[in-house]
Amino acid sequence: PPPPPPPPPPSVKIDGKCLLTDSGRCATSPGYPNQYPIDEGCNITGLPHSRLDVIAFEVEEGGYRYTYDPANVCDRAFLVVNGVKHCGTSGPAGVEPLDGVAT
């Protein structure tokens, strides 16, 4: 007999105020394209094991309470994929979320 089909991909889930658009294929911060609220966050789980296609990425560098200081880059606002923090305009384009999670 033929081998069984692969299991369906996990469904993407959001914990927090981020939004899923484009039939669940795009995640945005709350209020996008406007600035996101201070101290808001979300966890995205169930991401498929495929490379991320980043259309737009802009996360403030440094904390909102700080002036620019290299020691504070990515300290308050960032996206984590595979344990790597992304902030500024350097998003995780082409990165495959190995554990299916982005926070």
Side-chain angles (χ1 to χ4, degrees), residues 18-68:
C18 291
L19 304 172
L20 283 178
T21 62
D22 197 20
S23 301
R25 297 184 319 182
C26 184
T28 67
S29 60
Y32 175 83
N34 298 317
Q35 292 185 348
Y36 50 89
I38 293 173
D39 291 332
E40 285 293 333
C42 66
N43 294 316
I44 306 169
T45 57
L47 293 170
H49 290 235
S50 60
R51 294 177 182 266
L52 296 175
D53 185 15
V54 178
I55 305 301
F57 187 86
E58 185 176 352
V59 177
E60 66 181 331
E61 292 186 56
Y64 65 91
R65 294 182 185 146
Y66 305 103
T67 56
Y68 182 77

Side-chain angles (χ1 to χ4, degrees), residues 51-54 57 79-81 84 86 89-96 102:
R51 294 177 182 266
L52 296 175
D53 185 15
V54 178
F57 187 86
L79 174 70
V80 177
V81 180
V84 177
H86 300 271
T89 56
S90 178
V95 173
E96 181 178 340

Side-chain angles (χ1 to χ4, degrees), residues 65-87:
R65 294 182 185 146
Y66 305 103
T67 56
Y68 182 77
D69 175 352
N72 290 327
V73 172
C74 290
D75 70 332
R76 298 275 302 168
F78 49 83
L79 174 70
V80 177
V81 180
N82 297 336
V84 177
K85 287 183 178 181
H86 300 271
C87 68

